[in-house]
Amino acid sequence: IALTADVQMAQRDTYLKHGFDEYLLKPVSLGQFRRLLIRWGLLSTESEQADNAETPAPPPSSDEGLPPAIDREAMIEQLGTFDDSTIEMLGMFVEMTEPQIAEIKEALAARDMHDLKELGHSLKGAARSACCPVLGDHAAALQNEAEAGNDVSGIVADIEKEFERVRAEVSALKS
């Protein structure tokens, strides 16, 4: 699957010629991603009938003053439901984001501001699409501060901490 900001439809053939099966235009919503996963048989459609299912209660937060790591209302607004397939997609988000967090830490150690800016940009879009607004805000700060050449070590620490909150919340939802 190619992810692109290029809105020219002529590019679709280019992606297909290079071996991509699909492409998504940025910004991608979880709803678009969910429909693509269902179309390719990677998510079940059982949840399509679960719109009236009870939304799982948010896990208790130990971080007073912080909003939940996952904005469930935004998730329901995007997808129309918050069910097992939604939780499965959030699990995929955690799995795909973990290596990116490691790359951010490596770029920080190397003081590679260009990579930090790019990784911040990528994480910002992914986190906001996954309805993880605090993580998305930290990633936006990383992008902006790295572009300005400022010290971002505190922001990277915030990203790591917030990613752990997201991971813990997804883990609690799975159990």
Side-chain angles (χ1 to χ4, degrees):
I1 301 169
L3 178 62
T4 181
D6 186 352
V7 295
Q8 296 178 6
M9 289 306 288
Q11 289 295 96
R12 182 175 193 278
D13 293 333
T14 302
Y15 299 127
L16 297 176
K17 284 180 194 173
H18 289 292
F20 290 99
D21 296 313
E22 294 277 354
Y23 78 102
L24 291 171
L25 293 173
K26 289 172 52 177
V28 177
S29 73
L30 281 177
Q32 291 170 307
F33 187 55
R34 181 175 190 241
R35 286 186 293 278
L36 184 138
L37 292 175
I38 289 170
R39 184 169 56 245
W40 283 90
L42 299 171
L43 265 182
S44 73
T45 57
E46 294 169 5
S47 63
E48 294 295 316
Q49 297 153 2
D51 287 349
N52 297 325
E54 188 175 312
T55 301
S61 176
S62 60
D63 299 304
E64 291 183 30
L66 284 177
I70 300 166
D71 183 342
R72 292 162 193 243
E73 285 86 27
M75 186 75 68
I76 292 168
E77 208 171 289
Q78 278 189 19
L79 301 176
T81 188
F82 195 100
D83 57 14
D84 288 342
S85 68
T86 309
I87 295 167
E88 185 179 345
M89 283 180 21
L90 286 167
M92 289 179 199
F93 167 74
V94 168
E95 288 174 22
M96 294 186 315
T97 303
E98 189 168 24
Q100 191 174 26
I101 300 295
E103 287 179 46
I104 288 171
K105 290 167 35 178
E106 290 170 13
L108 177 64
R111 298 178 189 220
D112 186 335
M113 301 310 260
H114 176 267
D115 281 359
L116 285 165
K117 179 187 110 182
E118 295 299 318
L119 288 163
H121 175 76
S122 177
L123 178 59
K124 174 184 72 175
R128 289 181 174 165
S129 290
C131 299
C132 301
V134 176
L135 183 58
D137 290 348
H138 289 316
L142 175 62
Q143 178 185 358
N144 294 336
E145 294 302 311
E147 185 171 31
N150 297 330
D151 177 31
V152 295
S153 55
I155 297 170
V156 171
D158 290 342
I159 286 172
E160 289 180 84
K161 183 178 178 183
E162 185 60 21
F163 180 67
E164 288 308 316
R165 273 191 352 117
V166 170
R167 181 198 315 267
E169 192 166 323
V170 170
S171 180
L173 287 167
K174 286 182 175 182
S175 51

